[in-house]
Amino acid sequence: KKYKPMVEEKVTQATGRQFSLGEDIDLSVFPWVGVKVTDVKFGNPKGFSQDQMVSVDRFEVRLKVMPLLSRKIEIKTFVLDKPQIFLQRLKDGSANWENLGPEKTAAAPKKEEPKAETSGKGLPISDLQVGSFEVNGGQLIFKDDAAGLEKKVTDLNLILANISLDKPIDITFGAQLDGKPVSLEGSAGPVGPNPGKGTLPIDLALKLVNELDVKIKGSLTDPAVSQGFDMNVEVAQFSLRKLLAAVDMPMPVKTKDPSVLEKIALNINAKGNPKSISLNNGTFQLDESTLKFSAAAKDFSKPDLKFDLQLDIINLDRYLPESQAGETKAEPEKKPVQGKGTKPDYTPLRKLVLDGKIKVGNMIASGAKVEDVDVHIKAKNGVINLDPMDLKLYGGFVDAMTIVNVQKNTPKIALKLLADKIMVGPLMKDALKKELIEGTMQSSLD
């Protein structure tokens, strides 16, 4: 306890914030090197709504001495009781996590010191064992006065079990986000003798407000170096309406059909690194519709994209705002806009490399029924080619092909279209809600 005033003074000087410790301090040396402190408080600058930025009821850690001689670390206890963290940004933009440290004064430039050599042999330890790692009853409050935003994480509890270098680490996390339950359970590891390199298996299950369940299983490869990943993500069927209601958020759009967005699910394998990413064996459920998809991207500066989408059935009108679904409205008169003589920049399209396929079995859009949609779009060196653009509707078909060339500043467009045997009466009745004409339509355009 005789060091308590000195520790408080040194931390206060180093951070520029008021720091204090409680009276219950315990230090031990053998057989466990340990420290226990209570009532830790780290203050806020003036002008913030709470006195403390960080407070902890109890912090305790105990480390065994003798194994250290064999480069082994054995931690008996690591406990953090009721950590309270308060983060705030004021209306003037200043935040309480900024400007930590004593006031800076001009100082003579320091000479560069030689960098310590690294052997590249990994951790300077041969083994790691942690008996208990716990965070109990934590709380995090974030306030942004300018945005009028406040978020609270309360009842935060974290337990890590079986912590070692050669076994998976069990993870149990739970908290309340603005009063709504969030949990994470699973395992990660083993991390191996050289953390950050090699393969790190992950198997986690996330639950949000009792409405959303997400499972993530796979591995990270060299997370500190190449940052590769190979993950399977499974989102169990959930209702978007119930999820938004649970987190007190309104539906962004009032759809014509209030029963949509009640069945959503996803299953996908994602694999990649900072230079490329691929999505394989994807299945997305949206109510009665099922989308199977795959996609890949690389050379993000160009970019180089590839995708394949196959949708069985969808009624788009159900998802549009009520005033737009299946209705036609007169366009408001457009006034000419005075431009500044700027010309379109087609450089991004010239860099784009794209190969995409879209197939739809049955679709309703603006009341019209369409079948067997087949679109293939390719782009390279400023030439965008849509061939085919085929579909069937009302007993007939449409075959089309389009080429857009933006290799020069003046685009060139070529279009070929053939439509035949389309029954006009049912089409106009569904799309325009009017019966104006009967018969079949045939059209050719080049």
Side-chain angles (χ1 to χ4, degrees):
K1 292 183 180 179
K2 67 179 181 179
Y3 297 107
K4 174 177 173 293
M6 181 185 71
V7 173
E8 293 175 338
E9 181 182 359
K10 292 294 184 182
V11 175
T12 299
Q13 290 177 353
T15 62
R17 305 285 182 87
Q18 192 66 38
F19 177 77
S20 65
L21 297 170
E23 297 297 328
D24 187 6
I25 299 175
D26 181 28
L27 296 175
S28 61
V29 177
F30 192 84
W32 299 93
V33 176
V35 58
K36 182 179 79 171
V37 294
T38 59
D39 200 18
V40 181
K41 294 181 179 179
F42 184 70
N44 266 320
K46 292 182 179 179
F48 290 86
S49 57
Q50 291 195 15
D51 293 336
Q52 311 301 330
M53 177 180 170
V54 179
S55 66
V56 178
D57 275 15
R58 177 175 71 101
F59 170 69
E60 182 176 358
V61 60
R62 296 192 179 277
L63 173 68
K64 206 165 187 178
V65 177
M66 294 304 295
L68 293 175
L69 301 177
S70 303
R71 299 188 301 118
K72 296 180 180 179
I73 296 180
E74 293 187 19
I75 298 175
K76 179 180 180 181
T77 304
F78 186 103
V79 178
L80 203 58
D81 275 342
K82 295 185 178 178
Q84 314 286 310
I85 302 174
F86 176 76
L87 304 176
Q88 183 179 14
R89 186 182 292 280
L90 302 179
K91 291 183 178 180
D92 62 6
S94 60
N96 65 341
W97 59 86
E98 299 173 336
N99 301 320
L100 287 170
E103 293 185 5
K104 297 180 180 179
T105 58
K110 293 183 178 180
K111 294 182 180 180
E112 275 195 29
E113 296 183 3
K115 294 182 179 179
E117 293 185 2
T118 57
S119 64
K121 296 181 180 178
L123 289 178
I125 62 174
S126 61
D127 193 17
L128 170 67
Q129 299 289 334
V130 180
S132 173
F133 184 103
E134 298 181 16
V135 178
N136 302 313
Q139 176 176 281
L140 170 65
I141 299 176
F142 174 77
K143 290 185 66 176
D144 189 332
D145 294 346
L149 175 70
E150 180 173 345
K151 291 292 180 181
K152 291 183 179 180
V153 178
T154 57
D155 296 334
L156 189 155
N157 297 282
L158 172 65
I159 298 176
L160 302 181
N162 299 322
I163 300 178
S164 67
L165 299 178
D166 57 356
K167 295 179 181 178
I169 300 172
D170 295 329
I171 303 170
T172 304
F173 170 85
Q176 298 280 329
L177 176 60
D178 290 333
K180 307 298 192 302
V182 178
S183 67
L184 179 69
E185 293 187 358
S187 64
V191 298
N194 196 355
K197 294 184 179 180
T199 300
L200 177 67
I202 290 178
D203 188 355
L204 300 172
L206 170 68
K207 293 187 177 182
L208 179 63
V209 298
N210 297 324
E211 294 292 341
L212 182 65
D213 290 353
V214 181
K215 293 182 180 179
I216 302 173
K217 188 173 183 178
S219 62
L220 301 176
T221 303
D222 293 334
V225 185
S226 62
Q227 297 156 12
F229 61 89
D230 186 351
M231 299 286 183
N232 189 82
V233 180
E234 180 182 351
V235 181
Q237 182 175 296
F238 70 99
S239 164
L240 180 60
R241 296 179 184 276
K242 292 180 180 179
L243 176 62
L244 292 178
V247 295
D248 300 323
M249 292 181 61
M251 282 290 297
V253 177
K254 185 177 180 180
T255 57
K256 180 181 180 181
D257 187 347
S259 67
V260 298
L261 304 177
E262 290 286 0
K263 298 177 182 178
I264 299 176
L266 173 68
N267 194 314
I268 185 69
N269 178 262
K271 186 175 182 179
N273 53 54
K275 295 182 179 180
S276 66
I277 184 173
S278 63
L279 305 177
N280 301 304
N281 303 318
T283 302
F284 176 68
Q285 179 188 353
L286 178 63
D287 298 314
E288 289 74 34
S289 304
T290 300
L291 173 68
K292 294 184 178 181
F293 65 96
S294 62
K298 60 183 179 180
D299 298 333
F300 298 127
S301 60
K302 288 185 180 178
D304 188 338
L305 308 174
K306 188 175 183 178
F307 64 83
D308 189 339
L309 311 178
Q310 298 182 27
L311 180 62
D312 58 353
I313 184 172
I314 191 166
N315 184 343
L316 295 177
D317 294 343
R318 299 174 66 197
Y319 298 90
L320 293 174
E322 189 168 0
S323 60
Q324 297 180 19
E327 297 183 10
T328 57
K329 287 191 173 183
E331 290 287 336
E333 183 180 353
K334 296 182 179 180
K335 298 181 180 180
V337 178
Q338 299 295 328
K340 297 183 180 180
T342 57
K343 295 182 179 181
D345 182 11
Y346 297 107
T347 303
L349 289 178
R350 293 170 188 148
K351 293 181 178 180
L352 175 66
V353 178
L354 175 64
D355 186 355
K357 298 178 182 179
I358 302 174
K359 291 188 177 183
V360 183
N362 293 274
M363 178 172 66
I364 297 177
S366 297
K369 301 181 181 70
V370 181
E371 298 177 343
D372 297 337
V373 178
D374 186 3
V375 179
H376 189 180
I377 178 171
K378 300 183 75 172
K380 191 173 183 180
N381 299 326
V383 179
I384 304 168
N385 193 329
L386 283 86
D387 184 16
M389 291 193 303
D390 298 344
L391 57 88
K392 296 179 182 178
L393 70 165
Y394 296 90
F397 65 88
V398 175
D399 289 345
M401 183 272 289
T402 301
I403 298 175
V404 180
N405 188 325
V406 292
Q407 290 177 327
K408 298 182 179 180
N409 291 333
T410 301
K412 294 182 179 180
I413 301 174
L415 169 65
K416 290 184 179 182
L417 182 144
L418 174 64
D420 195 14
K421 300 179 182 178
I422 299 173
M423 294 184 290
V424 181
L427 171 59
M428 298 190 71
K429 184 178 179 181
D430 287 344
L432 302 179
K433 310 302 180 188
K434 295 179 181 179
E435 298 184 46
L436 301 176
I437 194 171
E438 293 183 357
T440 59
M441 181 182 73
Q442 182 179 10
S443 176
S444 178
L445 175 66
D446 190 346

